[in-house]
Amino acid sequence: MYRFFISRESIDEAAGTIQIQGEDVGHIHSVLRMKPGEEVLLCTGMEGDQTDYLCRIEGYSDGAVLTKIVSKNRSQQELPSRLYLFQGLPKADKLESIIQKSVELGVYRIVPTLMKRCVVKPDTKKIAKKTARWNAIALAAAKQSKRGIVPEVTEPVSFLEALELTRSLDHVVVPYENSDGIEHTRVVLSSVKPGESCGIFIGPEGGFDENEINMLRDIGGAIVTLGHRILRTETAGPAVLAALMLHLEE
Ligand code: SAH
């Protein structure tokens, strides 16, 4: 069943109706050629509102799709824990594929993080445009993977700002290329429980600076290995998300 994200304002709970507006209207009408009577799944995708509305298409009017709410349920599409990916800003457009894979794997929020060995320094003039593009990629991936929310990609933060953000998290996991002991990794990942939040720090192509690892350890980060092989920065984040998803999915 097709799933579309709608704004909270387009829901009229009293009347039991929802209007789909914007670019999805053309897709529904002209590409999918959906007819009155057919059903769609609608959700706001907003943090904290994981309601799936099963709706029946009633018709088209004024550039909107008019639908009637048939039923509403708590979205089954989300992991029971909030996984934050603090991704060391990678070169070129690698972040775009990291965003796409991470959204498919259930990430809650992606925080591009400036680390010592990052090669690229974001151009402040282009940040807003880049961040908007990153969030458009997250929206497309959320639609394709039928997420109950649209994970946010924040503007890049400094390493110290990222450390500050971890204060509100229950767990911080730091895959570090120079660590070992896969059993410790298993213990750390399985300690993340439903309802908890977990930050995951991934270094850029050049890896972590020793000082960054010390600071992450100081704030209680668990330094873990992801095995004997060296993963690319664009592989490591999705690998950890997949391991956590396997452990957390209900
Ligand atoms: N330049 C480094 C690799 C950096 S890989 C080197 O060649 O040694 C980018 C990031 O992926 C690392 O900083 C780490 O966060 C993660 N990573 C890659 N392989 C890993 C492994 N085997 N164990 C733990 N983390 C790993």
Side-chain angles (χ1 to χ4, degrees):
M1 183 174 296
Y2 292 107
R3 168 189 288 267
F4 299 96
F5 291 104
I6 38 98
S7 66
R8 272 231 58 83
E9 299 70 45
S10 61
I11 303 171
D12 182 339
E13 296 269 11
T17 62
I18 299 181
Q19 288 200 15
I20 305 173
Q21 290 151 331
E23 60 190 37
D24 284 334
V25 177
H27 186 65
I28 292 167
H29 183 262
S30 311
V31 176
L32 303 176
R33 299 184 183 285
M34 296 192 84
K35 300 281 182 278
E38 290 189 73
E39 293 185 336
V40 288
L41 263 181
L42 304 181
C43 62
T44 66
M46 302 303 287
E47 174 177 332
D49 169 15
Q50 290 172 13
T51 306
D52 277 349
Y53 294 87
L54 174 63
C55 296
R56 186 180 56 248
I57 292 177
E58 298 287 291
Y60 295 86
S61 136
D62 298 335
V65 184
L66 310 178
T67 75
K68 195 99 178 107
I69 300 172
V70 174
S71 64
K72 59 181 191 178
N73 300 291
R74 180 166 169 69
S75 176
Q76 304 299 318
Q77 302 300 99
E78 293 304 303
L79 289 172
S81 304
R82 291 184 171 177
L83 307 179
Y84 295 70
L85 177 62
F86 293 91
Q87 173 65 49
L89 208 57
K91 288 180 204 159
D93 55 0
K94 270 184 208 168
L95 187 61
E96 298 186 3
S97 67
I98 294 168
I99 291 166
Q100 186 185 63
K101 309 303 168 216
S102 300
V103 169
E104 292 168 47
L105 286 162
V107 77
Y108 177 74
R109 182 167 297 161
I110 297 171
V111 184
T113 303
L114 285 169
M115 296 181 192
K116 197 154 168 33
R117 295 186 192 167
C118 284
V119 173
V120 294
K121 300 288 180 242
D123 173 347
T124 41
K125 289 192 294 301
K126 294 185 189 145
I127 281 291
K129 193 158 166 282
K130 259 197 178 301
T131 307
R133 174 164 174 67
W134 293 337
N135 282 282
I137 289 165
L139 175 60
K143 282 182 179 177
Q144 172 275 321
S145 59
K146 300 191 186 308
R147 287 291 299 267
I149 65 156
V150 181
E152 180 195 357
V153 185
T154 70
E155 291 201 355
V157 300
S158 70
F159 188 73
L160 292 180
E161 283 166 339
L163 289 180
E164 190 59 29
L165 291 171
T166 66
R167 294 162 68 93
S168 63
L169 301 181
D170 298 306
H171 301 266
V172 175
V173 174
V174 184
Y176 178 39
E177 59 274 20
N178 297 336
S179 59
D180 58 18
I182 197 73
E183 187 48 37
H184 172 60
T185 304
R186 290 192 191 97
V187 169
V188 166
L189 295 186
S190 55
S191 71
V192 181
K193 298 293 175 235
E196 295 182 333
S197 57
C198 178
I200 301 158
F201 277 74
I202 300 295
E205 294 87 347
F208 282 111
D209 176 77
E210 198 60 43
N211 191 28
E212 290 168 340
I213 292 297
N214 293 337
M215 285 195 276
L216 282 162
R217 192 180 282 116
D218 290 349
I219 55 107
I223 314 301
V224 297
T225 181
L226 295 181
H228 298 301
R229 292 152 301 285
I230 293 291
L231 310 180
R232 289 175 178 276
T233 188
E234 61 267 33
T235 309
V240 180
L241 289 167
L244 283 167
M245 181 276 294
L246 214 55
H247 160 65
L248 289 165
E249 186 71 290
E250 290 167 333

